[in-house]
Amino acid sequence: MTIFYPSMLKIYSECPRKYFYNFVEKFNMPQSNAPFEKGKKIHALANFFIKGADILKLEKSLSESELNAWMYLKNSEYFKMKFLESEYQISAKIEEYWIGGRLDALVEDKNNYYILDYKTGSIPKNPIYDFQTMIYLYCIDKKIKEYNTLNFIYIDLKNFTDYKITLNEQLKKEYVEKLTNTINQINSDNIYIPKKLQNIKCNCNNLKICVER
């Protein structure tokens, strides 16, 4: 059974050839992990904190930039709510397909639910219709069913701001349509990879293979 994750749908929407290399041929160009180290530390620290671990020594090991990001997150209004899940794998069926992902945290206050996503980089350019937003809200809506509000919160640890999206019936309808349309395209698309591509304007790290094939 194939589960479609946000990264898969995002990559396909950007470049079907890249999707083909990454998820059909399962070939990925190596890349540096350095840009992701700060995010990994913050996510691990948040998970330990949520589970009640003593994080004092870990906090002391953070750089100034990491500590500033962590303190913004730790002092967030959402971190004062009731924690339900942390680093939680989610999935749900949408028509005949399965979609899923791994959310950073799920919190609740007076039957209002908040999906938290910590970003040490930039939040999506169009967060309301980002595949991560759509998939996570859809999956948690299927899981909880009854609530006052269901919200997705991007916590921007780079610019120290939050972005909130509240699910409603119109958005839910649009999400189902956008997600199923994209997956239908993937399943029906005969991704053609020419031997030589001309006038390519692309910074994709698969470009060299794409041109040489």
Side-chain angles (χ1 to χ4, degrees), residues 140-203:
I140 296 301
D141 173 71
K142 291 294 183 183
K143 174 183 172 64
I144 298 175
K145 295 184 174 63
E146 294 184 9
Y147 48 78
N148 288 336
T149 64
L150 175 58
N151 311 276
F152 191 111
I153 313 295
Y154 283 105
I155 301 180
D156 184 342
L157 301 177
K158 180 180 180 182
N159 300 300
F160 305 117
T161 59
D162 302 336
Y163 192 100
K164 177 180 175 182
I165 301 130
T166 301
L167 188 65
N168 56 46
E169 290 304 316
Q170 179 59 35
L171 273 181
K172 196 186 302 187
K173 181 179 178 182
E174 291 178 27
Y175 287 177
V176 170
E177 183 177 354
K178 289 178 182 294
L179 290 169
T180 54
N181 284 348
T182 303
I183 298 171
N184 281 332
Q185 283 183 330
I186 291 173
N187 286 340
S188 63
D189 196 2
N190 182 14
I191 303 171
Y192 172 64
I193 306 178
K195 292 182 179 179
K196 190 75 174 178
L197 303 177
Q198 302 296 330
N199 301 319
I200 298 175
K201 295 181 179 179
C202 174
N203 294 320

Side-chain angles (χ1 to χ4, degrees), residues 3 6 33 40 48 56 67-68 83 102 110 117 129 133 135 150 174 184 200 203:
I3 298 179
N33 288 326
K40 287 181 180 179
F48 290 141
L56 185 59
L67 183 60
N68 288 337
F83 285 104
R102 187 178 183 85
K110 298 177 182 177
D117 190 78
Y129 295 104
T133 306
I135 287 178
L150 175 58
E174 291 178 27
N184 281 332
I200 298 175
N203 294 320

